[in-house]
Amino acid sequence: GFTHVRIPIGYWLLENASEAVADGFVPGGEGFLRRALGWLKARGMKAVLDLHAMPGSQAAHESFTGKRSPVAGFFLNPEDYDRGQRAVVSLCELVLRLENSSNTSDTVIGVEPLNEPAHAFWDTERGIRNFYEMMVPKIREFLPADRYMILLSFMESPHVRTAAWFSSARERDPDNFAGVVYDKHLYHTFGDNKAPWSPDMDMCKTCCRDSHILEPMWSADIPIIIGEYGLSTGFGGWDQPGFPASFAENQLSMWDSTPGMVGSFAWNFRILLDPQDPMMFKEWSWFDLIVSDHLAPDGGLSPRLGGSCTAMTESDARECPHFDMHVSWAAAMRVEVVVQCCAAGSRSDDFGFSWL
C-alpha cells in the first residue's frame, strides 16, 4: 500500500501572517500541516515537504506557483529570489520544530526546495543551478544526509544536461549531495495525450517511451524519484474496465525495474473540476478509483511487481514505434499497435523504503 506522502506547500506558509496577507494569501497553514502529519504518524507513514510555490512564481502561467504570473518572477526579481532562499531556510527550521513535537516527530523524511522551475532559467545569474548549488549545502546545515533526503526538481527535456550536472555535483561535494535525489515528473497527459488515445497507446508510452526519458539519469548512476505521475490520460475512455489497473501496474512496474529508482509519488486529488466532464476528476484520485473498483484495495501497489510492464506480457516489443526524444507522438501514434518493451533492470533503493 501507500507508505509516503509528498505534501506541497506554498512559501507563504513559511512567512509571517502580514507577509502572507500582503501577497493575497490566507495565513495559518502550519496548523493544518501539523494535523496531516499527525495522521500520517498514527499510521506509520512518512512525508516529504515540497516547497511547491515560490515568490514571484518559478514558472510562468502556472497556478501551482500560488498565482498565475505572465513571467517567472522568482528568477527575474532579486527580491523574490532572495525571499525564496529564506523560505527554504524557514522550511528546514519548520522540519526541526516538527521533529521536536511528539505529535509529528519521526514523520518528515525529506524536503524539496523548488518545484518544476522553468528550465529556461537553468544557467542564468539568478537561476536553478545557482539556487541548488547554494541551497543544498544550506539545507544540510539543518537536515543531515543520514536522516533527510533532498529532492531536486528539473523540467529539462531530454534530461541530459541536468543529469550530467547532478552526477558531477555528487562527485564534487559527496557529503552535501549524499541523499539528494533527481526528481522527474512523468505524466501521460498535458500535451502529447490530448488526442483520443487508446489504452494500448498509453501502454506503449509507458513501456517504450518512459524508459528512454529516464535513461539519462539511470545511465549516470544517480538516484531517481518519480516525484509526480498519475493515471490521467487526457482521453475520455479512461474508465473502461481494466484500464486504470493495467495502466497503474505498467507504470509502477516500470519504476520498480528502473536502476537507481528510489520510489514514486502519485499526484492525488485534482481539485479543479471540468464543467464539460465533471467525472473526469476520478482519474486523478486513487481513492475514488479504489472505491469504484477500478483499482484493488492496495491501490495496485502489489509486491508482485518485479518486471517491466507486467500487464503487457503477451505483447510484442517489436511492434512498438521507434522512439527518439524529438519525435511527435501525435504523429507516431497513428499506427494502431499493441506494445510492450523495455529491459528490466535491478532496483536500487538507497533509502531503504518501499513505494513512495
Side-chain angles (χ1 to χ4, degrees):
F2 301 98
T3 60
H4 294 66
V5 177
R6 175 175 174 260
I7 302 178
I9 62 176
Y11 69 91
W12 55 90
L13 184 144
L14 303 164
E15 297 185 329
N16 61 50
S18 61
E19 289 175 308
V21 171
D23 272 6
F25 297 105
V26 178
E30 183 176 328
F32 293 96
L33 175 62
R34 287 179 175 273
R35 183 172 66 175
L37 292 172
W39 291 339
L40 294 178
K41 179 173 181 176
R43 291 160 177 79
M45 300 173 71
K46 307 296 183 182
V48 169
L49 300 186
D50 153 42
L51 190 44
H52 210 72
M54 279 296 198
S57 300
Q58 69 269 28
H61 307 292
E62 293 286 0
S63 57
F64 69 74
T65 62
K67 291 183 177 180
R68 291 177 64 91
S69 170
V71 297
F74 174 69
F75 298 113
L76 299 172
N77 185 337
E79 294 181 1
D80 286 332
Y81 197 70
D82 292 343
R83 192 176 174 189
Q85 294 174 53
R86 294 194 298 272
V88 173
V89 172
S90 296
L91 175 61
C92 295
E93 293 172 341
L94 172 60
V95 171
L96 295 180
R97 294 198 302 273
L98 294 168
E99 188 61 28
N100 288 328
S101 169
S102 60
N103 293 328
T104 54
S105 62
D106 195 31
T107 303
V108 176
I109 55 91
V111 296
E112 185 158 18
L114 186 62
N115 175 72
E116 296 191 358
H119 185 69
F121 298 94
W122 166 248
D123 226 3
T124 56
E125 179 183 359
R126 292 181 299 275
I128 303 164
R129 174 176 177 167
N130 286 340
F131 187 78
Y132 286 162
E133 290 179 350
M134 287 189 297
M135 299 318 299
V136 168
K138 176 60 69 174
I139 292 170
R140 285 292 177 237
E141 293 178 11
F142 296 86
L143 308 177
D146 61 355
R147 173 68 177 80
Y148 297 95
M149 66 189 299
I150 302 174
L151 281 64
L152 297 184
S153 175
F154 302 92
M155 295 300 287
E156 183 186 24
S157 181
H159 294 259
V160 176
R161 191 179 183 190
T162 50
W165 169 84
F166 193 102
S167 178
S168 176
R170 281 162 52 89
E171 294 177 1
R172 293 192 314 269
D173 192 0
D175 292 337
N176 284 320
F177 275 81
V180 180
V181 183
Y182 191 110
D183 179 11
K184 167 60 183 170
H185 297 177
L186 192 51
Y187 287 101
H188 288 204
T189 186
F190 303 125
D192 72 344
N193 228 16
K194 294 300 184 185
W197 305 107
S198 74
D200 291 337
M201 292 176 182
D202 272 292
M203 302 314 176
C204 175
K205 282 180 283 186
T206 297
C207 305
C208 293
R209 179 193 70 168
D210 293 355
S211 62
H212 292 278
I213 292 175
L214 296 172
E215 183 177 7
M217 289 80 86
W218 63 253
S219 63
D221 195 28
I222 59 179
I224 319 163
I225 195 164
I226 304 297
E228 292 182 19
Y229 76 98
L231 299 185
S232 175
T233 63
F235 74 86
W238 65 270
D239 56 350
Q240 57 189 281
F243 174 67
S246 61
F247 191 23
E249 184 173 330
N250 278 337
Q251 290 189 81
L252 289 167
S253 62
M254 173 60 69
W255 316 152
D256 198 37
S257 61
T258 298
M261 185 66 70
V262 173
S264 57
F265 290 101
W267 184 260
N268 192 49
F269 289 131
R270 181 173 175 81
I271 60 175
L272 296 178
L273 301 183
D274 182 355
Q276 304 301 318
D277 193 352
M279 300 306 292
M280 186 66 79
F281 78 94
K282 284 191 174 183
E283 64 177 333
W284 286 98
S285 170
W286 286 69
F287 294 145
D288 279 294
L289 290 173
I290 291 170
V291 170
S292 58
D293 294 326
H294 285 292
L295 293 177
D298 66 357
L301 305 177
S302 170
R304 70 184 179 86
L305 296 176
S308 178
C309 291
T310 54
M312 296 291 289
T313 54
E314 297 181 359
S315 302
D316 188 347
R318 293 170 297 180
E319 295 180 350
C320 185
H322 174 71
F323 175 80
D324 66 60
M325 288 296 179
H326 306 289
V327 75
S328 169
W329 275 92
M333 296 304 291
R334 289 195 185 104
V335 291
E336 294 184 2
V337 295
V338 178
V339 179
Q340 185 266 343
C341 74
C342 302
S346 59
R347 175 164 179 181
S348 171
D349 190 339
D350 294 341
F351 292 90
F353 42 73
S354 60
W355 284 113
L356 291 164

